[in-house]
Structure formats: C-alpha cells, structure tokens
Amino acid sequence: MVPIPRADSIAMGKKDVKASAQSGAWRTYVLASNNSELIKEGGILRVFYRSMSCEGLCDEISNRFYVKQEEECLEYTVVAERINKSIYKGVFEGDNYFYSIRNTGDFLVYKKFNQDEDGNVTKVILVVGKPGSIPTEEQKEELQRILKENHLSRDNVQYVLEAGESPPSFLPTAYWEDPG
C-alpha cells in the first residue's frame, strides 16, 4: 500500500505558491530515492524534466520529460490528476502519487511514491528548477533538511544538471551537494 498522507497534514510553507505557477520550462536538478538503482544512470525513474503545465484550478498537471535508457532518450508526457487537495496521481512505470513540498518560484521540490506492478513502493524526492537557476545556500540547506527528514543518505542522492536543451548530454553537478 502506498503511504499517501492526508492533504491537511502536508506542510507547504510560506514560500509555496499556487499550482498554476508550476507551468513552464523545468529541468531536473536532484533525484533522491530509497531505491537508488532506479534513479542512477539508466534507471527508469531517472527523469529529465522539460516542462509542466496546468490550466485553471490545476486539476491536472501535464509532465513532459525524458528517460535515458541504453544510450537512447525516450520522451514521455504523463498527465497526472489531482486526487485530493494537494496530491496528484499519474501513471508511469506504475502508479505515481506526488505532491509539492517546496516551491520557491525558481525551484520545485516534490515528494513522490511510485508503486510498480509488483506492489513495490519507491519513495522519490525530485528537485526541478527553471533553466539556468542556481540554488542559494539557504535552498541547499533546506534540501539537506528534506533529505534527512526522509531518511535519504548521500548514497541515495543523484545530483543532476542537464547540459543543453535536448538529451542526451547530461552532466552531474555539485550545485546542490552537501559540503559536509
């Protein structure tokens, strides 16, 4: 069973904005998971975001991203539907439930649960940013706090920065890394 929190228990914080502000171009910066094999190079949950869009009350969010497998980049568009006040559900490599835990305008942090066809649940923290955004020291510290709260060690984190506007040139980055 996927551990979906109640919508009223999700702390969004003062920096969060309306879901409609999520529309636009986004790039993957950080992936963290309790199953690091799925987010490492060639992993099916190692997603490289291009854009998100929603209309009106944002009852649906369209997510466009790439996954690189065996030197080939495959483009996907997944439409996720709002299932309650703050949580969305989309289908990609199983059922995916996600919600925003931080939105600074330049960066979005999502907590996601993927349940595959065998019933295995993988927790993922996804950080996407507007193209060219550089995190502040405060944002780096906030990410480290989020990772710690979710019991995700350094071995479970992939720092990713995409070079160029189209796959497959992806480069790791130290922008978000914890210096300690």
Side-chain angles (χ1 to χ4, degrees):
M1 181 58 121
V2 177
I4 301 172
R6 293 188 355 242
D8 61 355
S9 72
I10 299 171
M12 300 301 274
K14 287 191 240 178
K15 293 185 179 178
D16 290 297
V17 296
K18 298 262 184 230
S20 60
Q22 297 177 25
S23 291
W26 295 97
R27 299 296 180 264
T28 303
Y29 278 73
V30 179
L31 289 161
S33 176
N34 62 325
N35 183 347
S36 60
E37 292 303 313
L38 296 178
I39 61 168
K40 286 183 178 175
E41 187 76 34
I44 193 62
L45 297 182
R46 187 178 179 97
V47 295
F48 296 95
Y49 264 81
R50 285 294 171 261
S51 64
M52 285 185 261
S53 63
C54 64
E55 303 293 327
L57 298 175
C58 243
D59 289 330
E60 293 183 341
I61 296 178
S62 178
N63 300 276
R64 188 171 69 88
F65 55 88
Y66 287 87
V67 174
K68 183 180 176 186
Q69 292 188 313
E70 298 178 23
E71 300 305 316
E72 184 178 357
C73 290
L74 305 172
E75 182 178 7
Y76 294 90
T77 299
V78 174
V79 177
E81 295 181 11
R82 184 192 317 261
I83 60 171
N84 68 28
K85 182 179 176 183
S86 302
I87 300 173
Y88 289 85
K89 178 185 178 191
V91 178
F92 173 74
E93 294 298 319
D95 291 333
N96 293 272
Y97 300 88
F98 64 93
Y99 56 93
S100 171
I101 57 176
R102 181 65 61 221
N103 184 335
T104 68
D106 288 336
F107 294 98
L108 299 172
V109 181
Y110 286 100
K111 187 170 187 176
K112 176 175 127 171
F113 297 92
N114 169 273
Q115 184 172 22
D116 68 17
E117 62 185 30
D118 295 327
N120 300 312
V121 175
T122 300
K123 177 173 47 176
V124 176
I125 300 294
L126 166 69
V127 179
V128 295
K130 298 229 171 162
S133 296
I134 308 252
T136 65
E137 288 304 314
E138 180 182 318
Q139 289 167 332
K140 291 179 189 181
E141 290 170 10
E142 176 74 3
L143 175 62
Q144 296 309 315
R145 185 189 62 72
I146 289 169
L147 295 174
K148 186 175 182 178
E149 285 176 359
N150 286 279
H151 309 287
L152 296 170
S153 69
R154 288 177 149 219
D155 295 339
N156 296 72
V157 180
Q158 294 285 306
Y159 298 96
V160 179
L161 178 65
E162 302 169 54
E165 287 301 307
S166 62
S169 60
F170 306 115
L171 301 173
T173 181
Y175 282 142
W176 284 94
E177 288 190 71
D178 178 12

